[in-house]
Amino acid sequence: MHADEIHEAVSHVIDSGWYLRGEATERFEAEYAQYIGTKHCICVANGLDALTLILRAYIYNNVLQEGDEIIVPANTYIATILSITENRLKPVLVEPNPDTFQIDDALIEQAITPRTRAVMIVHLYGRCAYTERIADICQRRHLLLLEDNAQAHGCIVQSVAAESQQSRTGSLGHAAAHSFYPGKNLGAMGDAGAVTTNDDDLAATVRSIANYGSSRKYVFDYIGRNSRIDEVQAALLSVKLKYLDEDNARRRAIAAYYLENIAPLSSPKGNTNVLKRNGAPSGAVEGSVWHVFPVLCEQRDALQAYLAENGVQTMIHYPIPPHKQACYADWHDLCLPITERIHAQELSIPCHQAMTDAEVERVAEIINNFNT
């Protein structure tokens, strides 16, 4: 999609002879900061780096120190957890709300200890995880509110206090990490990521760490790394950003159709529950950009095989939760039943802006036929 514009933008970069830290990167950083609603956008190599560099910068700025605790959803993709442990911080895993798959804000306060310094919410599957209760907890307990926005580019949260006030995920806390992996709603042609924030000091430190720890050529204030976007990716993302809201609207329309037309399964083959917010499909549609459309099914493997036989490609996000991964063997005794049920039953069905109405209707029909 948008092939002509993308070819033109990429060709312009190639012809310019400037491939790193040039005009395309500066332009996209400015455009994306304005789109998200933050003062700063710092482009980096990927989403994991964005998460890691936020925490590293807070350590260098003496806001965090090794051993501090970060509250995080237990059912997130492992990159969220890796960024915490890489900085020798301690993840505190909190179960999700089974109705939304997002961190359960009713469980956060009881997880706070004297070592807690931040809450990292993850807008999983493209759905907004932010709640005013979480913001209130962070404000009252003097905690950082950090966002993993890798899956929710363009997602909007409506303020309860002021109905006319809207904000995008990525601007709701002290800092946010974004991934532009090719499969994301705003995807590059390779790896790329970004940090957004209104914090001048944090932005300067992140930018420096990502440039080998240097803010001036050959002068190194931090033990940094090489983490940067290239000009081709930045130019492509500038093109695709113009169409992001339109693309997300198409995803929401597909999700609305699924929510209206896919019936819960009640046969011995399994019980499939379509993701809803408090049983209200309309609320679920508007609170998400539907990076994926997840369903839960007790007989997930049978459903996935059935869909594959009928030409419908699906994915599992994700088959093994972080606390059951070999790299975190010390957590294997943790009891997180909601997380484990989601990971055992989740199946993502097709939901993207390139789908035709006929394809969407066919997917729903095939799933419904699984019940007969």
Side-chain angles (χ1 to χ4, degrees):
M1 300 179 72
H2 324 305
D4 291 342
E5 287 185 71
I6 290 171
H7 279 290
E8 182 180 353
V10 171
S11 295
H12 180 76
V13 170
I14 294 171
D15 293 342
S16 76
W18 194 293
Y19 307 130
L20 289 168
R21 302 180 68 186
E23 292 180 1
T25 297
E26 291 180 3
R27 181 171 61 253
F28 176 68
E29 287 183 338
E31 292 169 348
Y32 196 62
Q34 182 178 21
Y35 177 82
I36 293 296
T38 56
K39 187 175 180 181
H40 301 282
C41 169
I42 306 97
C43 284
V44 296
N46 53 68
L48 175 56
D49 274 8
L51 288 163
T52 303
L53 292 175
I54 288 170
L55 297 174
R56 187 73 51 84
Y58 276 126
I59 290 173
Y60 279 130
N61 289 355
N62 297 313
V63 176
L64 296 174
Q65 59 182 339
E66 291 184 9
D68 284 346
E69 295 176 356
I70 312 294
I71 291 174
V72 66
N75 62 316
T76 184
Y77 181 58
I78 201 167
T80 317
I81 309 294
L82 291 173
S83 70
I84 298 170
T85 58
E86 181 175 333
N87 282 293
R88 298 186 180 180
L89 302 166
K90 181 181 178 181
V92 176
L93 307 183
V94 170
E95 287 267 62
N97 182 322
D99 291 330
T100 66
F101 298 174
Q102 308 304 315
I103 191 169
D104 191 336
D105 60 8
L107 302 178
I108 290 176
E109 200 136 22
Q110 67 193 50
I112 296 173
T113 76
R115 293 304 305 270
T116 305
R117 296 293 180 269
V119 175
M120 183 180 287
I121 58 176
V122 181
H123 305 297
L124 194 66
Y125 306 142
R127 188 180 182 123
C128 181
Y130 173 91
T131 68
E132 296 195 358
R133 183 175 186 174
I134 293 175
D136 177 67
I137 290 170
C138 290
Q139 184 175 13
R140 285 190 293 103
R141 305 298 290 266
H142 306 290
L143 304 175
L144 294 170
L145 176 55
L146 308 177
E147 297 175 77
D148 182 340
N149 198 49
Q151 299 184 9
H153 313 112
C155 188
I156 292 175
V157 58
Q158 186 84 40
S159 172
V160 174
E163 292 185 2
S164 62
Q165 183 176 341
Q166 293 183 334
S167 301
R168 295 191 191 275
T169 56
S171 69
L172 306 173
H174 294 87
H178 309 253
S179 168
F180 304 124
Y181 180 79
K184 299 297 171 63
N185 292 41
L186 181 61
M189 292 193 299
D191 278 323
V195 172
T196 54
T197 184
N198 290 317
D199 185 328
D200 294 345
D201 291 338
L202 180 72
T205 305
V206 167
R207 193 176 292 281
S208 180
I209 299 170
N211 184 37
Y212 300 95
S214 172
S215 57
R216 292 183 296 141
K217 195 173 182 67
Y218 302 134
V219 177
F220 304 94
D221 300 312
Y222 309 105
I223 300 174
R225 63 173 63 183
N226 175 16
S227 181
R228 58 195 176 196
I229 194 173
D230 66 64
E231 289 285 278
V232 169
Q233 307 305 336
L236 176 145
L237 288 168
S238 282
V239 173
K240 296 180 75 173
L241 180 62
K242 295 187 295 183
Y243 301 99
L244 179 57
D245 288 343
E246 177 184 330
D247 291 344
N248 285 341
R250 175 58 180 162
R251 288 175 182 259
R252 280 194 294 271
I254 294 169
Y257 184 88
Y258 284 160
L259 288 166
E260 182 68 25
N261 291 279
I262 297 178
L265 301 184
S266 57
S267 74
K269 292 180 180 179
N271 178 30
T272 300
N273 301 300
V274 176
L275 175 61
K276 301 178 182 179
R277 173 177 291 172
N278 299 325
S282 59
V285 170
E286 296 307 319
S288 177
V289 292
W290 299 96
H291 171 58
V292 299
F293 189 101
V295 299
L296 295 185
C297 183
E298 293 174 2
Q299 302 297 322
R300 176 182 64 194
D301 293 346
L303 176 60
Q304 185 174 41
Y306 168 80
L307 291 173
E309 290 169 3
N310 286 273
V312 177
Q313 183 180 10
T314 60
M315 291 189 66
I316 297 172
H317 295 93
Y318 304 93
I320 305 172
H323 72 286
K324 294 297 184 181
Q325 297 286 352
C327 61
Y328 293 120
D330 290 346
W331 296 348
H332 286 186
D333 291 336
L334 291 178
C335 180
L336 298 166
I338 299 174
T339 292
E340 290 166 20
R341 180 172 67 88
I342 291 171
H343 284 261
Q345 297 182 9
E346 193 277 341
L347 187 67
S348 301
I349 64 175
C351 183
H352 56 84
Q353 63 270 17
M355 294 180 72
T356 66
D357 288 346
E359 289 171 335
V360 174
E361 292 166 8
R362 179 60 177 155
V363 170
E365 178 185 7
I366 292 170
I367 293 176
N368 286 333
N369 287 341
F370 183 70
N371 195 31
T372 61

